[in-house]
Each structure stands twice: as structure tokens, then as C-alpha cells.
Amino acid sequence: QVQLVESGGGLVQAGGSLRLSCAASGDTLCISTMGWYRQAPGKERELVAAITSGGSTNYADSVKGRFTISRDNAKNTLYLQMNSLKPEDTAVYWCNALCIGTYANFVYWGQGTQVTVSS
């Protein structure tokens, strides 16, 4: 089992920055790829950014050049640095982790953190 706890959300003005953190605990040795997802009101949940255990990253087109995903494997923590925030970035943000098991893989989710960008 893996537990994920996000922090760092809040209210920020357009053009501002926030850094989200996601602390993993439990059976963290099984964690492979980690990612950030978000869901805005009335919209489906979407992938924001993901990072493999080796450090390869991919981003949604809407955040490329503004957001940076990173991870500190020693601290079992995932980050999302969000710069040049826009009102359309307003959403609940979740981190997730893919855990590679012996017989099956599992995906774990955090509880979510609200990000609100005012215009």
C-alpha cells in the first residue's frame, strides 16, 4: 500500500506561481511513474504531467513551458512547479503513483488539493 498526501494548493492571482508537493509513504519501493492530474468544474479529469522513475517527463500541451514536474526519490516526494498561472488552471489537482507489484500493478491517488487562479 502507498499513501499519497498533496499540499501546496491555494488561491493565487493570474501570472503567479504555486508549487504542489506530494509526499509518498508506505511501500514506496514499488513506485514507478508518478503524475499530476487535475479536474476543473464541469470537465473531465486530465493528465497535467508525468515523470518516470528515471526522470523522463511529459506534459499536457496546455501547461508546457509553464509547469515543471520533478521528484525527489530520496524524500519520496513529487513536485509540480506552476508558473504563469492562468484562470483556466483552476482545478482540483491530484497526484498519483503507479506501483509495480509482483503479480499486478496498482495506481494510488492522493486526496487532492484545490488550486484557484483569480483573474
Side-chain angles (χ1 to χ4, degrees):
Q1 291 262 343
V2 173
Q3 294 78 43
L4 302 173
V5 179
E6 299 104 335
S7 61
L11 174 63
V12 64
Q13 288 189 332
S17 299
L18 282 174
R19 188 175 83 154
L20 304 183
S21 299
C22 173
S25 61
D27 186 17
T28 59
L29 290 179
C30 74
I31 294 176
S32 175
T33 298
M34 300 186 75
W36 288 98
Y37 286 74
R38 68 185 181 186
Q39 185 169 21
K43 295 188 177 181
E44 294 185 353
R45 187 177 299 192
E46 64 174 353
L47 174 67
V48 176
I51 184 168
T52 68
S53 56
S56 297
T57 60
N58 69 282
Y59 296 89
D61 288 342
S62 59
V63 306
K64 282 180 181 177
R66 300 188 297 122
F67 291 10
T68 302
I69 189 170
S70 62
R71 63 193 289 176
D72 185 330
N73 292 328
K75 295 182 178 179
N76 294 315
T77 303
L78 177 72
Y79 303 99
L80 184 68
Q81 178 66 44
M82 304 185 293
N83 298 329
S84 302
L85 282 160
K86 304 175 181 180
E88 51 263 44
D89 295 316
T90 295
V92 177
Y93 285 71
W94 290 271
C95 67
N96 84 343
L98 173 63
C99 181
I100 306 299
T102 303
Y103 303 107
N105 299 332
F106 300 90
V107 177
Y108 295 95
W109 293 87
Q111 82 286 357
T113 186
Q114 177 71 46
V115 171
T116 302
V117 184
S118 63
S119 57

